[in-house]
């Protein structure tokens, strides 16, 4: 399986979980890292798709590859599961909301005196669902890269995600470092592979970081030789 002959599915941006018609739970992901990855991916394989949450539409309006907008974590799960197949590579750079309100009010919730408690439940873990689907559909030529946005115990959390989500590679993003993570133009990434490599990248523009990540995916696929 060669990267240039693969379908490359990149996810990026946040998701939104609404609790009334005007308010939602989300995060500060701008989609920039995902777009940088999709841009680099498209240079290697024109069979690239970018699935993204709500981001500035101007960032994706002239892209030569398919950009598909989703809103919630459940939508993202459905879109990802529909796209994965043999000879595909998934790069999960999106920052899906981990919790969703248990109830969504049809009316705007009125302000009242005192505190408000919002009851929430976990959203589906997309990468875990992908791992199950991979087994179920017996997808052998399929490569999955996750991200880990961490602020403490960064390396050990990234390694646990690599194992728990059955990933081929993980990009640790220490989002507590200046110039790294959400809504900036640079990033600081450390790559860990299932094969045991650790590659520490310096602070780079998101475009250069994306290029390094794709280079490493290419190298891992070449090593597999299937
Ligand atoms: O968009 P930018 O502003 O450019 O910012 C880039 C970024 C900081 C969002 C990006 O570099 C990044 O770190 N993305 C991952 C964010 C995240 O959700 O990390 P996590 O450690 O919470 O999740 C671990 C992995 O599981 C990620 O690959 C995530 O996509 C995935 N996930 C998370 C939640 C969920 N319900 N299902 C998942 O599959």
């Amino acid at each position: 399986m060669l990267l240039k002959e693969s379908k490359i599915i990149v996810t990026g941006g946040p998701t939104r979980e609404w609790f009334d018609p005007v308010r939602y739970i989300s995060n500060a992901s701008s989609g920039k890292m995902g777009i940088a990855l999709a841009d680099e991916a498209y240079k290697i394989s024109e069979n690239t798709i970018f699935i993204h949450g709500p981001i500035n539409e101007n960032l994706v309006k002239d892209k030569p590859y398919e950009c598909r907008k989703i809103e919630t974590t459940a939508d993202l799960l459905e879109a990802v599961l529909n796209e994965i197949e043999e000879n595909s590579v998934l790069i999960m750079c999106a920052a899906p909301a981990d919790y969703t309100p248990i109830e969504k009010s049809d009316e705007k919730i009125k302000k009242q005196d005192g505190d408000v408690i919002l009851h929430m439940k976990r959203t589906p873990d997309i990468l875990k669902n992908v791992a199950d689907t991979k087994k179920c559909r017996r997808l052998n030529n399929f490569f999955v890269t996750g991200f880990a946005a961490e602020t403490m115990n960064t390396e050990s959390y990234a390694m646990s995600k690599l194992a728990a989500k059955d990933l081929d590679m993980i990009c640790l993003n220490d989002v507590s470092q200046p110039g790294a993570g959400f809504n900036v133009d640079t990033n600081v990434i450390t790559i860990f592979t299932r094969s045991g490599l650790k590659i520490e990248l310096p602070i780079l523009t998101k475009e250069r970081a994306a290029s390094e990540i794709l280079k490493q995916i290419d190298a891992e696929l070449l090593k597999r030789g299937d």
Side-chain angles (χ1 to χ4, degrees):
M1 177 183 170
L2 295 173
L3 188 56
K4 64 179 185 197
E5 290 166 4
S6 305
K7 171 179 181 180
I8 309 178
I9 306 146
V10 180
T11 71
T15 61
R16 281 182 187 168
E17 308 295 330
W18 295 84
F19 58 92
D20 79 9
V22 295
R23 304 188 185 97
Y24 53 79
I25 308 291
S26 191
N27 60 65
S29 172
S30 62
K32 287 179 182 176
M33 188 68 231
I35 292 168
L37 285 159
D39 285 351
E40 286 301 315
Y42 183 76
K43 289 182 196 163
I44 301 166
S45 166
E46 288 187 9
N47 191 3
T48 290
I49 172 168
F50 180 50
I51 306 173
H52 63 87
I55 56 175
N56 177 351
E57 289 293 327
N58 288 329
L59 295 177
V60 282
K61 75 174 192 307
D62 293 324
K63 294 300 179 189
Y65 45 83
E66 184 186 346
C67 295
R68 191 178 307 158
K69 187 175 170 193
I70 53 83
E71 179 123 329
T72 65
T73 300
D75 296 341
L76 182 57
L77 171 66
E78 191 186 341
V80 167
L81 292 185
N82 277 335
E83 289 302 328
I84 59 174
E85 55 186 82
E86 277 292 294
N87 298 317
S88 61
V89 169
L90 171 65
I91 308 177
M92 263 308 281
C93 178
D98 289 316
Y99 292 91
T100 190
I102 288 174
E103 278 177 16
K104 183 185 165 194
S105 165
D106 290 337
E107 307 297 337
K108 183 182 169 201
I109 298 169
K110 296 303 288 173
K111 275 198 294 286
Q112 41 183 306
D113 290 339
D115 300 336
V116 163
I117 294 173
L118 184 62
H119 292 281
M120 297 201 280
K121 60 180 180 187
R122 285 290 304 269
T123 53
D125 186 318
I126 297 165
L127 283 173
K128 279 205 172 145
N129 276 275
V130 164
D132 293 344
T133 305
K134 181 178 158 185
K135 274 199 202 103
C136 211
R137 291 198 215 154
R138 295 204 175 86
L139 299 177
N140 296 315
N141 294 324
F142 176 48
F143 188 96
V144 187
T145 301
F147 270 68
E150 306 292 351
T151 56
M152 56 187 274
N153 302 331
T154 55
E155 188 162 334
S156 72
Y157 282 144
M159 295 307 282
S160 341
K161 283 177 183 170
L162 181 72
K165 296 176 187 245
D166 193 20
L167 305 175
D168 297 294
M169 192 170 119
I170 195 156
C171 300
L172 165 62
N173 207 171
D174 180 348
V175 293
S176 66
Q177 290 193 42
F182 292 89
N183 205 12
V184 287
D185 292 328
T186 51
N187 216 346
V188 184
I189 299 276
T190 304
I191 300 173
F192 296 91
T193 67
R194 188 203 282 270
S195 57
L197 284 182
K198 173 181 176 183
I199 301 156
E200 269 180 279
L201 301 175
I203 184 164
L204 294 173
T205 61
K206 285 186 171 167
E207 290 71 25
R208 286 212 42 217
S211 162
E212 294 301 321
I213 291 166
L214 280 148
K215 248 190 240 165
Q216 196 51 45
I217 295 174
D218 198 20
E220 292 300 307
L221 289 175
L222 283 173
K223 262 194 258 169
R224 274 187 181 184
D226 47 18

